[in-house]
């Protein structure tokens, strides 16, 4: 399950991920997207499902093995970890150093991470995008991190598929746009970090 902001590219990246997994693996894949009719500037929630068996119908995921939040401000407004299954991987796009991230989380979220034994990862995708000149378009960065952490495809194969999809998606916008997106794919994993999770919640601030 992926939380994004309309216009940050999250939905488009997840649709690309569904295509990549459906075409490059033996798994069946499905995407179900929830967003406000205004879309741009509104919350988007992407439900991605993969299975070795045919997926017969769309439905919302309530026990996700992977939860990503692409907008850090959502953590104080939404219970994003309500969707996380025990032992799930959590990826946060955060403007904080990995060593400082834990102390910025609301107490309810810390309790869920400890109680469900979640694995926590972080990246400052906005800083990486800005460095390359992509503004607020963090979709390719977060997509690369998803493939690296989920293990749906071998890492090198996944990166090759992402770059191929970038060429198809952005080719008409010119070589420079393609080059910048390829560059953030290569940079993304250098900025991806696992966060050490303490034995108990320590925050005094609530959501």
């Amino acid at each position: 399950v992926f939380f994004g902001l309309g216009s940050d590219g999250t939905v488009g990246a997840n649709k690309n991920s569904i295509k990549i997994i459906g075409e490059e693996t033996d798994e069946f894949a499905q995407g179900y997207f929830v967003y406000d009719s205004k879309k741009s500037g509104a919350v988007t929630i992407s439900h991605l499902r993969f299975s070795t068996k045919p997926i017969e119908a769309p439905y919302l995921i309530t026990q996700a093995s992977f939860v990503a939040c692409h907008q850090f401000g959502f953590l104080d407004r939404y219970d994003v970890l309500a969707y996380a299954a025990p032992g799930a991987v959590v990826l946060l796009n955060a403007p904080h150093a990995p060593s400082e991230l834990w102390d910025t989380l609301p107490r309810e979220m810390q309790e869920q991470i400890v109680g469900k034994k979640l694995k926590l990862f972080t990246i400052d995708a906005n800083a990486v995008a800005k460095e390359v000149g992509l503004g607020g378009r963090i979709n390719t960065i977060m997509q690369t991190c998803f493939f690296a952490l989920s293990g749906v495809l071998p890492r090198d194969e996944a990166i090759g598929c992402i770059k191929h999809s970038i060429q198809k998606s952005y080719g008409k916008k010119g070589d420079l746009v393609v080059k910048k997106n390829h560059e953030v794919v290569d940079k993304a994993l250098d900025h991806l970090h696992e966060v050490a999770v303490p034995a108990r919640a320590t925050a005094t601030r609530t959501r």
Side-chain angles (χ1 to χ4, degrees):
V1 173
F2 301 76
F3 283 77
L5 190 68
S7 79
D8 73 359
T10 297
V11 170
N14 285 325
K15 288 181 177 178
N16 259 335
S17 295
I18 287 289
K19 289 179 185 175
I20 289 171
I21 293 164
E23 292 171 2
E24 303 296 332
T25 75
D26 293 330
E27 297 207 13
F28 295 88
Q30 181 193 83
Y32 193 90
F33 303 93
V34 181
Y35 41 76
D36 190 281
S37 58
K38 293 188 287 291
K39 195 165 185 289
S40 182
V43 179
T44 64
I45 307 176
S46 305
H47 296 250
L48 273 59
R49 299 169 55 214
F50 319 113
S51 175
T52 53
K53 298 176 182 177
I55 299 170
E56 302 293 348
Y59 58 80
L60 301 180
I61 296 169
T62 57
Q63 291 284 294
S65 58
F66 186 97
V67 176
C69 184
H70 294 188
Q71 300 291 333
F72 192 72
F74 288 176
L75 303 183
D76 273 323
R77 294 160 54 196
Y78 306 106
D79 185 4
V80 300
L81 296 187
Y83 294 86
V89 170
V90 177
L91 171 63
L92 303 180
N93 172 30
H96 303 286
S99 59
E100 300 168 357
L101 178 67
W102 180 258
D103 292 330
T104 68
L105 303 178
R107 185 173 184 87
E108 299 96 330
M109 191 170 188
Q110 290 184 349
E111 289 172 344
Q112 288 170 306
I113 292 170
V114 173
K116 293 184 179 184
K117 294 182 170 58
L118 305 179
K119 296 174 184 173
L120 181 61
F121 292 83
T122 186
I123 182 172
D124 188 346
N126 294 83
V128 178
K130 188 176 181 181
E131 183 183 326
V132 176
L134 282 176
R137 302 292 287 186
I138 60 170
N139 51 324
T140 304
I141 300 164
M142 301 305 290
Q143 182 184 27
T144 303
C145 293
F146 159 67
F147 275 106
L149 294 173
S150 67
V152 178
L153 277 172
R155 185 174 293 193
D156 290 344
E157 186 179 338
I159 287 173
C161 290
I162 292 169
K163 288 185 174 181
H164 181 63
S165 74
I166 286 169
Q167 186 68 48
K168 287 199 293 184
S169 299
Y170 301 119
K172 291 180 181 178
K173 295 187 177 182
D175 291 341
L176 183 60
V177 174
V178 171
K179 182 183 176 185
K180 286 181 177 179
N181 277 277
H182 280 185
E183 192 176 340
V184 293
V185 169
D186 292 331
K187 282 179 175 288
L189 300 186
D190 291 335
H191 293 80
L192 177 65
H193 303 281
E194 185 167 8
V195 176
V197 175
R200 60 184 180 83
T202 55
T204 54
R205 184 179 63 80
T206 56
R207 187 179 295 117

